């Protein structure tokens, strides 16, 4: 535990140090020497992790900065097949450029290739013209991004291409293992080619079968994946310990069949040990079929640890095996502890190991349960589901920001998956290679395939009745996550806790302090807060003010339909350390996707008291999505224009300065609502959307008071909004630019930066600084600036979480 916490502290220092303190409070060794050794292990693992962390690139090549396509050469280290016909390829041994300009590129590159005409295999060499960018996520307070995870894997660069419209060359043949696995996939596709189904449904069944048997999600539709997640069944889709558990169960079923046919085999191998021996090759085969991803390999180590303790006839198999597996995994791959998939596995198993025995002890007193094997199985499944999800609750809330009300569906789908889909599919695959038994293999494939088809029907039935929707959760800070887990552990071990023991009493008081610290902190954060979120090439502004009220102006938006900024950034930002509540107002400045795209998700699942806009709607498809979201939450909408003043309470008003009639402008950008925040007569901030020169000229002609302490720079810092008269009229002390890192538009343009320099305006940039938070305690106080990307630890490790 000290070794793992030392590594964990590198990224989460306060959480790691607090956890170490609790170890010394509740489970110290009896001798000072051993306690010192625990502290020494913690410190050594922290220092080693610090020095072993891969360095960030010291410089970015000029052609990459310029946004040019570069010739990239590298060896394929791994390939993941993702939904939406995407291959995620990790390239190592990188070289960019050609001939005498060729140079090595440090680290690895993650290359996403969508709609590829061919599959890439590990070990091959690739040359391609790619747009390469440094790995650079969105940095918002309390919101996770993937930068640090990729850095621990030494993946420092990224690229994305779609289709075949780029030059590329693949060298080297796929290995025997890959060829055999590909042949098995083709046989599976053929076996699941169900007659009588529409083509799109047949593809869905085949894609789902490949995902379950091989971890190949290439042909899965993203909407189907989302439905599976919302049904609380996402763990059945990921190759993990669940699937290895099913394979192990098939091994024990074979042991039971063998014992029934030849009972004397138990004289040589007891049932449990025979089951382990038969399960081992099945688990190894499944790991190979799934291309041995880290999740399966780590699950295999866990099952091997439990098998070892079963062979040794030890008692605390789950917990001891978990610690042994965690030790082995973290020793060979220290950075794996930052892998969310491993965290979910460890926490779920720990919850089962700690809480399930208490439930079992209570159920043993019921005689009818002891007599019914079927009832014991289903109650055991209920117990495992509840205890695992109880332990995972804070992680689920923080990471995914929602829970599903459909945990009970596990009781239906898991038996079907474990007793029908996987056994029939694997048996069908095996029989299809046995001469004379191909007919039996086809029947078994049909059983597996039609079960998957009915499962998809079942999900769509739920979806069409709007039953598959997330319940947005409170996103707890680390103090609440730790208090939850410690409270759970203290309940499990209550009989060993004594309030007469000074250390135990101090520890319990400390747990209570952790629980009340974040709410107490929030209570003192009064005043006015302007948050310019990091949403890439878009804009989203959150206004928080006294009375725990919030107003959202725009929500950013991505041109990638599979990345929902509302789900990934906006709602997580609104619910970090805050219970989910409807924003008081949601305002759309104008109908461009980089401003409205991230509003649909929060409007649909949080709602708002009022939705305001300039009267111009997005295109037909997105207008329908927006109307569906508004109707689902019964949100009233209203058009606002110049002259409207919105009273926000306690002397705070929002003035609408533009436009008077949006239909008089040719460009949508010039129809942007211009909003000014005024607090007790003091002008605090101006938010002009994407206003360009025509709109700015119209605004200036009205001769309204535009002055403000803070200006959210119009149109992301584009030269089309670089009006000297406008900046002179606003006369801001601080400017905030919302734009994407290394964006293709080249904003902010030099003309805008020159204006900042001339007027001595202090400016901040979401691409450089991450989320920008500007706070005032009262109208006369000066603004306080807090920037996400300035919170860096040793080795530039991000601490904005």
């Amino acid at each position: 535990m000290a070794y793992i916490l030392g590594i964990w502290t590198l990224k989460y220092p306060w959480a790691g140090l607090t956890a170490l303190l609790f170890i010394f409070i509740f489970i110290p060794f009896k001798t000072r020497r051993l306690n010192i050794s625990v502290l020494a292990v913690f410190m050594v693992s922290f220092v080693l992790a610090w020095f072993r962390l891969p360095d960030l690139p010291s410089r970015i090549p000029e052609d990459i900065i310029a946004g040019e396509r570069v010739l990239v050469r590298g060896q394929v280290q791994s390939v993941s097949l993702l939904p939406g016909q995407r291959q995620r390829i990790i390239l190592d041994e990188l070289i960019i450029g050609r001939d005498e300009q060729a140079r090595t590129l440090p680290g690895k590159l993650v290359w996403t290739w969508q709609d590829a005409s061919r599959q890439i295999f590990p070990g091959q060499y690739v040359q391609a013209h790619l747009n390469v960018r440094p790995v650079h996520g969105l940095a918002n307070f309390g919101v996770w991004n993937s930068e640090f995870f990729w850095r621990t894997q030494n993946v420092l660069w990224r690229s994305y291409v779609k289709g075949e419209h780029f030059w590329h060359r693949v060298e080297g043949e796929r290995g025997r293992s890959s060829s055999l696995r590909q042949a098995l996939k083709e046989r599976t596709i053929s076996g699941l080619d169900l007659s009588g189904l529409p083509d799109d449904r047949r593809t869905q069944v085949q894609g789902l079968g490949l995902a379950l048997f091989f971890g190949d999600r290439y042909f899965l539709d993203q909407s189907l994946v989302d439905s599976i997640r919302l049904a609380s069944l996402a763990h059945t889709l990921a190759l993990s310990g669940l699937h290895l558990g099913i394979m192990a169960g098939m091994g024990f079923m074979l042991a039971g069949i063998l014992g029934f046919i030849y009972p004397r085999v138990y004289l040589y191998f007891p049932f449990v040990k025979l089951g382990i021996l038969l399960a081992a090759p099945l688990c190894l085969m499944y790991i190979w079929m799934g291309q041995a991803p880290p999740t399966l390999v780590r699950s295999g180590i866990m099952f091997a640890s439990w098998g070892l303790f079963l062979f040794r006839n030890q008692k605390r198999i789950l917990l001891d095996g978990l610690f042994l597996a965690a030790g082995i995994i973290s020793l060979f791959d220290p950075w794996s502890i930052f892998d969310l998939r491993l965290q979910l596995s460890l926490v779920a198993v720990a919850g089962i190991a700690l809480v399930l025995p208490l439930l079992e002890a209570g159920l043993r007193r019921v005689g009818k349960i002891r007599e019914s094997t079927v009832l014991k199985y289903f109650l055991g499944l209920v117990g495992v589901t509840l205890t695992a999800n109880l332990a995972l609750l804070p992680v689920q809330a923080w990471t995914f920001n929602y829970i599903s009300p459909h945990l009970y569906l596990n009781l239906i789908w898991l038996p079907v998956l474990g007793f029908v889909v996987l056994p029939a599919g694997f048996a069908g695959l095996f029989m299809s290679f046995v001469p004379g038994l191909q007919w039996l293999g086809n029947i078994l494939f049909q059983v597996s395939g039609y079960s998957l088809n009915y499962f998809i029907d079942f999900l769509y039935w739920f979806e069409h009745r709007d039953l598959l929707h997330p319940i947005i959760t409170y996103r707890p800070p680390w103090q609440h996550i730790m208090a939850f887990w410690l409270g759970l552990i203290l309940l499990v071990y209550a009989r060993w806790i004594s309030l007469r023991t000074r250390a135990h009493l101090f520890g319990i008081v400390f747990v209570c302090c952790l629980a009340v610290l974040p709410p107490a902190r929030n209570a003192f954060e009064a005043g006015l807060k302007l948050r310019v979120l990091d949403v890439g090439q878009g804009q989203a502004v959150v206004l928080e003010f006294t009375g725990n009220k919030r107003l959202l102006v725009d929500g950013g938006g991505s041109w990638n339909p599979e990345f929902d900024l509302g789900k990934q950034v906006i709602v997580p930002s609104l619910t970090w350390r805050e219970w989910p509540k409807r924003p008081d107002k949601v305002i759309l400045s104008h109908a461009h996707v980089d401003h409205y795209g991230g509003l649909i998700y929060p409007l649909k699942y949080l709602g708002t008291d009022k939705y305001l806009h300039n009267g111009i709607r997005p295109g037909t498809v997105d207008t329908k999505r927006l109307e569906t979201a508004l109707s689902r939450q019964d949100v009233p909408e209203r058009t606002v224009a110049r002259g409207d003043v919105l009273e926000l309470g306690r002397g705070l008003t929002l003035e609408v300065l533009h436009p008077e009639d949006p239909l008089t402008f040719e460009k949508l950008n010039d129809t942007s609502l211009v909003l000014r925040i005024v607090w007790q007569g003091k002008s605090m901030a101006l938010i002009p959307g994407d206003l360009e020169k025509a709109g700015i000229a119209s605004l200036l002609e009205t001769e309204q008071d535009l002055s403000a302490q803070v200006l959210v720079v119009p149109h992301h810092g584009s030269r089309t909004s670089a009006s000297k008269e406008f900046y002179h009229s606003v006369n801001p002390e601080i400017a905030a630019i919302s734009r994407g890192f290394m964006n293709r538009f080249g904003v902010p343009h030099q003309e805008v930066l020159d204006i900042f320099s001339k007027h001595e305006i202090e400016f901040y940039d979401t691409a450089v600084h991450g989320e920008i938070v500007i706070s005032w305690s009262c109208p006369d106080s000066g603004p306080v600036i807090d920037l996400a990307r300035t919170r860096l630890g040793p080795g530039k490790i991000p601490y904005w979480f």
Side-chain angles (χ1 to χ4, degrees):
M1 291 173 69
Y3 167 75
I4 290 176
L5 283 176
I7 303 170
W8 186 257
T9 301
L10 188 69
K11 177 73 183 302
Y12 303 100
W14 290 112
L17 290 169
T18 304
L20 182 69
L21 176 62
F22 279 114
I23 288 178
F24 287 121
I25 291 175
F26 289 109
I27 50 173
F29 284 110
K30 293 182 179 180
T31 66
R32 180 179 296 180
R33 180 180 299 176
L34 287 174
N35 285 320
I36 291 174
S37 70
V38 169
L39 185 60
V41 168
F42 173 86
M43 295 177 66
V44 168
S45 66
F46 173 80
V47 172
L48 289 177
W50 186 355
F51 282 102
R52 289 187 59 186
L53 183 66
D55 292 326
L56 293 171
S58 57
R59 59 179 296 274
I60 302 174
E62 292 297 329
D63 42 4
I64 291 179
I65 294 177
E68 301 173 2
R69 281 195 172 186
V70 296
L71 177 64
V72 178
R73 287 174 285 177
Q75 184 176 20
V76 179
Q77 183 186 75
S78 65
V79 180
S80 301
L81 301 173
L82 306 178
Q85 298 188 3
R86 292 176 295 149
Q87 298 183 68
R88 188 171 65 197
I89 304 158
I90 305 296
L91 293 180
D92 200 359
E93 302 177 10
L94 297 175
I95 298 175
I96 64 170
R98 61 174 72 249
D99 302 329
E100 63 276 358
Q101 295 182 344
R103 63 251 188 228
T104 59
L105 201 62
K108 304 172 186 176
L109 180 141
V110 54
W111 169 29
T112 302
W113 189 2
Q114 187 170 6
D115 298 335
S117 60
R118 60 179 300 172
Q119 184 178 337
I120 306 298
F121 294 92
Q124 293 180 322
Y125 287 86
V126 172
Q127 297 183 54
H129 279 128
L130 302 175
N131 284 109
V132 177
R133 296 287 184 272
V135 172
H136 186 96
L138 305 177
N140 294 281
F141 287 108
V143 181
W144 183 86
N145 79 11
S146 60
E147 275 181 46
F148 184 75
F149 169 76
W150 284 120
R151 183 179 173 187
T152 61
Q153 310 304 307
N154 199 26
V155 176
L156 308 178
W157 312 92
R158 64 176 178 84
S159 184
Y160 170 85
V161 293
K162 184 174 183 179
E164 296 290 321
H165 304 294
F166 69 105
W167 181 88
H168 60 278
R169 177 187 297 166
V170 180
E171 300 172 352
E173 297 296 326
R174 61 191 183 195
R176 288 186 178 181
S177 179
S178 297
S179 298
L180 178 57
R181 190 183 297 109
Q182 194 65 21
L184 293 177
K185 288 182 182 181
E186 292 170 1
R187 185 63 61 91
T188 301
I189 291 173
S190 176
L192 295 177
D193 188 8
L194 305 180
S195 58
L197 294 181
D199 291 343
D200 58 341
R201 175 55 63 84
R202 189 183 303 117
T203 301
Q204 286 182 322
V205 169
Q206 292 169 334
L208 191 54
L210 290 176
L212 292 170
F213 301 149
F214 300 94
D216 180 348
R217 295 193 264 179
Y218 189 77
F219 293 106
L220 272 183
D221 183 72
Q222 187 62 46
S223 62
L224 177 59
V225 175
D226 291 338
S227 296
I228 293 173
R229 287 174 179 164
L230 291 174
S232 193
L233 299 173
H235 57 291
T236 67
L237 196 58
L239 296 190
S240 61
L242 171 67
H243 298 80
L244 281 189
I246 292 174
M247 302 306 292
M250 291 168 61
F252 278 88
M253 288 174 60
L254 290 176
I257 294 172
L258 186 59
F260 179 78
I261 297 173
Y262 184 62
R264 295 187 62 183
V265 72
Y266 292 151
L267 297 176
Y268 305 99
F269 297 100
F271 171 74
V272 172
K273 295 184 177 180
L274 181 61
I276 293 172
L277 292 174
L278 292 176
L282 293 177
C283 290
L284 289 173
M285 180 193 71
Y286 192 70
I287 292 173
W288 171 81
M289 289 178 63
Q291 299 186 65
T295 51
L296 269 186
V297 173
R298 293 192 290 247
S299 298
I301 294 173
M302 286 188 192
F303 277 89
S305 301
W306 293 325
L308 174 65
F309 286 123
L310 278 172
F311 259 93
R312 292 168 59 90
N313 298 316
Q314 291 190 221
K315 294 183 178 179
R316 294 191 314 171
I317 295 170
L318 264 182
L319 205 56
D320 288 349
L322 179 67
F323 270 79
L324 176 61
I328 294 171
I329 293 167
S330 59
L331 280 172
F332 282 93
D333 183 10
W335 301 120
S336 64
I337 68 169
F338 295 111
D339 189 330
L340 176 64
R341 297 165 296 184
L342 178 62
Q343 295 168 15
L344 294 174
S345 297
L346 293 178
V347 171
V349 174
I352 294 169
L354 290 173
V355 183
L356 188 60
L358 299 180
L359 298 179
E360 290 178 338
L363 292 175
R364 288 194 194 101
R365 301 175 183 175
V366 183
K368 291 183 179 180
I369 295 177
R370 291 201 303 266
E371 298 169 3
S372 174
T373 303
V374 175
L375 188 57
K376 281 195 293 186
Y377 167 78
F378 276 101
L379 287 177
L381 189 58
V382 171
V384 168
T385 300
L386 290 179
T387 53
N389 280 278
L390 178 64
L392 288 171
L393 184 60
V395 184
Q396 172 90 1
W398 191 88
T399 307
F400 303 109
N401 199 198
Y402 72 86
I403 58 174
S404 168
H406 302 298
L407 279 177
Y408 60 90
L409 293 180
N410 284 271
L411 305 181
I412 302 172
W413 177 236
L414 288 184
V416 174
L417 181 67
F419 291 111
V420 180
V421 175
L422 289 180
F426 283 122
L429 184 59
F430 174 75
M431 294 295 180
S432 66
F433 287 95
V434 179
L437 292 179
Q438 286 89 347
W439 62 272
L440 181 57
N442 289 333
I443 292 175
L444 291 170
F445 266 132
Q446 297 265 318
V447 171
S448 181
Y450 277 107
S451 299
L452 294 175
N453 179 53
Y454 296 141
F455 172 63
I456 296 172
D457 282 337
F458 185 68
L459 290 177
Y460 284 167
W461 184 88
F462 268 75
E463 184 178 343
H464 291 155
R465 284 158 180 78
D466 196 28
L467 298 175
L468 291 182
H469 55 81
I471 299 175
I472 305 299
T473 61
Y474 167 76
R475 294 188 61 246
W478 69 267
Q479 296 96 328
H480 280 176
I481 296 176
M482 185 167 292
F484 178 90
W485 283 335
L486 287 170
L488 188 62
I489 293 171
L490 289 175
L491 286 175
V492 171
Y493 291 104
R495 70 179 71 177
W496 287 279
I497 302 297
S498 173
L499 294 180
R500 296 179 180 178
T501 303
R502 188 176 300 174
H504 289 181
L505 182 60
F506 173 74
I508 292 172
V509 172
F510 197 5
V511 172
C512 295
C513 289
L514 285 178
V516 301
L517 184 61
R521 177 183 174 183
N522 289 348
F524 288 100
E525 291 184 349
L528 175 65
K529 185 182 290 185
L530 182 76
R531 301 170 56 193
V532 182
L533 301 181
D534 183 6
V535 292
Q537 189 59 32
Q539 184 170 294
V541 177
V542 178
L543 184 67
E544 299 176 351
F545 44 97
T546 305
N548 196 27
K549 294 185 177 181
R550 288 177 299 185
L551 185 147
L552 176 61
V553 181
D554 293 335
S558 172
W559 284 274
N560 178 3
E562 296 174 0
F563 183 74
D564 188 340
L565 271 165
K567 179 179 179 181
Q568 303 296 335
V569 174
I570 305 300
V571 172
S573 293
L574 294 176
T575 54
W576 183 52
R577 301 189 307 182
E578 297 283 351
W579 289 98
K581 64 185 291 283
R582 297 161 68 101
D584 294 270
K585 292 178 177 62
V586 171
I587 303 175
L588 173 61
S589 65
H590 65 293
H592 271 161
V593 69
D594 60 325
H595 288 251
Y596 72 75
L599 291 180
I600 295 174
Y601 187 85
L603 285 172
K604 187 174 183 179
Y605 296 114
L606 287 180
T608 181
D609 292 342
K610 191 167 291 185
Y611 170 65
L612 308 173
H613 55 90
N614 65 6
I616 298 178
R617 296 180 178 275
T620 305
V621 174
D622 287 339
T623 293
K624 185 176 181 181
R625 292 174 61 216
L626 192 58
E627 289 175 347
T628 300
L630 294 173
S631 64
R632 189 178 187 276
Q633 294 286 346
D634 294 324
V635 174
E637 59 178 309
R638 173 189 163 192
T639 299
V640 293
R642 177 162 66 89
D644 288 329
V645 178
L646 308 176
E647 297 290 341
L648 304 179
R650 302 197 180 186
L652 196 67
T653 60
L654 190 69
E655 300 176 349
V656 182
L657 306 182
H658 177 85
E660 184 175 15
D661 180 5
L663 298 179
T664 60
F665 297 95
E666 293 183 5
K667 291 185 177 181
L668 275 178
N669 283 341
D670 289 317
T671 69
S672 296
L673 292 175
V674 177
L675 308 171
R676 191 170 74 140
I677 303 160
V678 179
W679 193 8
Q680 295 181 5
K682 302 279 187 176
S683 180
M684 313 305 289
L686 187 73
I687 308 172
D690 277 356
L691 210 61
E692 295 189 36
K693 289 184 178 179
I696 290 174
S698 175
L699 177 64
L700 293 173
E701 285 175 4
T702 64
E703 298 183 353
Q704 299 174 91
D705 182 8
L706 304 180
S707 63
Q709 291 184 41
V710 175
L711 171 67
V712 179
V713 177
H715 203 193
H716 320 288
S718 169
R719 61 171 59 93
T720 59
S721 302
S723 166
K724 296 177 183 179
E725 294 81 5
F726 172 75
Y727 281 91
H728 178 74
S729 297
V730 179
N731 192 28
E733 300 173 17
I734 298 168
I737 303 174
S738 180
R739 56 116 182 175
F741 177 72
M742 292 181 64
N743 62 85
R744 60 192 177 94
F745 305 103
V747 294
H749 291 139
Q750 190 60 46
E751 294 89 330
V752 176
L753 300 179
D754 290 341
I755 293 176
F756 291 162
S757 177
K758 180 179 179 181
H759 290 269
E760 298 182 350
I761 300 171
E762 184 180 0
F763 73 95
Y764 300 96
D765 181 348
T766 57
V768 177
H769 302 106
E771 180 183 347
I772 303 165
V773 180
I774 306 170
S775 306
W776 297 267
S777 58
C778 64
D780 296 320
S781 66
V784 177
I785 313 297
D786 200 2
L787 308 171
R789 286 193 182 274
T790 60
R791 295 194 181 183
L792 299 176
K796 296 185 178 180
I797 298 171
Y799 282 171
W800 59 74
F801 306 106

